[in-house]
């Protein structure tokens, strides 16, 4: 992935760290089986990658080491291992990525239910994790204070599944609709299939303890 040019307002003090993070995130992505054994408990930023055949209607910056892959999503974590393994690969209630994917993958028929929020039913949590393991790859970089780096990375490369912090002209309407449709998929006490990602409305996605 080519490093985008800095723009007016970019902090010169953060430029080396942001450029370094982009280079690290543009390394060769690994499968989730490999990532499980390598992820540390340190804080940092991470990026999810996929082939163009995965969610083909969405754009994404190419990987600098494997140009046939493109970035789908970028996030930060106070514990990279905990964020990926306990949230993104397990719990839709605490993963914006999982909720967005469930809303986009209409053909998979993911079903939601209501606890204290809209979540996938346990069977479909497992199905979505299996889909992610089969289709997505991961890179990451450790940083003691990842929040500022993540914000600038998102602003500069605008991954298609990110909404928060992305310049308005780069926000993908299908992603906003997918978030809205997921959250309207179940009323309290009911269990209904997730509705189509073409639903109208704004993004009412629940805020995670840490974005991404």
């Amino acid at each position: 992935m080519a490093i985008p040019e800095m723009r007016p307002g970019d902090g010169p003090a953060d430029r080396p760290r942001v450029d370094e993070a982009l280079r690290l995130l543009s390394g060769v992505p690994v499968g989730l089986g490999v990532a499980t054994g390598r992820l540390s408990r340190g804080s940092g930023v991470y990026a999810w990658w996929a082939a163009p055949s995965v969610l083909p209607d969405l754009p994404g910056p190419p990987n600098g080491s494997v140009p046939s892959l493109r970035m789908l999503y970028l996030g930060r974590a106070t514990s990279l291992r905990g964020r990926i393994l306990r949230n993104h690969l397990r719990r839709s209630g605490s993963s914006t990525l999982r909720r967005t994917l469930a809303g986009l993958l209409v053909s998979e028929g993911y079903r939601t239910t209501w606890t204290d929020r809209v979540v996938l039913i346990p069977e479909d949590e497992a199905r979505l994790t299996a889909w992610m393991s089969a289709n997505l790859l991961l890179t990451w970089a450790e940083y003691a204070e990842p929040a500022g780096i993540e914000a600038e990375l998102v602003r500069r490369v605008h991954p298609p599944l990110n909404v928060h912090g992305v310049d308005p002209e780069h926000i993908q309407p299908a992603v906003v609709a997918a978030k809205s449709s997921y959250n309207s998929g179940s009323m309290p006490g009911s269990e209904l299939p997730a509705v189509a990602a073409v639903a109208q409305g704004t993004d009412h996605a629940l805020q995670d303890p840490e974005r991404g």
Side-chain angles (χ1 to χ4, degrees):
M1 178 173 59
I3 296 176
E5 294 294 327
M6 299 291 282
R7 301 182 300 179
D10 291 340
D14 286 337
R15 178 170 183 170
R17 292 205 310 160
V18 173
D19 288 350
E20 178 191 24
L22 279 172
R23 283 190 289 269
L24 292 173
L25 292 178
S26 292
V28 177
V30 299
L32 298 183
V34 174
T36 297
R38 294 183 184 176
L39 284 163
S40 78
R41 291 180 171 81
S43 59
V45 292
Y46 55 89
W48 293 87
W49 305 84
S53 58
V54 177
L55 304 176
D57 294 335
L58 295 175
N63 181 274
S65 301
V66 188
S68 60
L69 298 174
R70 80 211 195 283
M71 184 188 293
L72 288 179
Y73 193 80
L74 192 149
R76 72 170 189 259
T78 55
S79 168
L80 288 163
R81 184 174 184 82
R83 185 62 174 151
I84 300 301
L85 300 187
R86 290 199 300 270
N87 297 144
H88 285 324
L89 294 179
R90 186 176 299 178
R91 298 165 54 199
S92 58
S94 57
S95 169
T96 299
L97 175 63
R98 287 180 74 84
R99 296 193 294 270
T100 304
L101 289 172
L104 287 168
L105 296 169
V106 179
S107 64
E108 299 294 327
Y110 290 111
R111 295 157 293 174
T112 58
T113 189
W114 178 268
T115 55
D116 61 339
R117 62 189 68 187
V118 180
V119 297
L120 293 175
I121 67 169
E123 176 187 351
D124 286 350
E125 293 278 22
R127 281 208 299 135
L128 181 56
T129 298
W131 184 94
M132 293 172 69
S133 297
N135 291 282
L136 303 185
L137 301 166
L138 192 67
T139 58
W140 63 91
E142 292 190 45
Y143 286 95
E145 298 179 359
I149 292 175
E150 181 227 20
E152 181 58 26
L153 288 171
V154 169
R155 191 168 73 90
R156 289 173 64 178
V157 303
H158 41 82
L161 297 189
N162 287 76
V163 172
H164 186 91
V166 177
D167 290 341
E169 65 268 25
H170 294 300
I171 292 176
Q172 299 295 316
V175 172
V176 175
K179 288 169 172 284
S180 181
S181 72
Y182 173 91
N183 284 305
S184 62
S186 290
M187 296 297 291
S190 69
E191 183 175 295
L192 297 172
V195 298
V198 295
Q200 298 298 313
T202 57
D203 178 15
H204 299 298
L206 294 164
Q207 294 298 313
D208 292 341
E210 47 186 344
R211 285 200 309 275

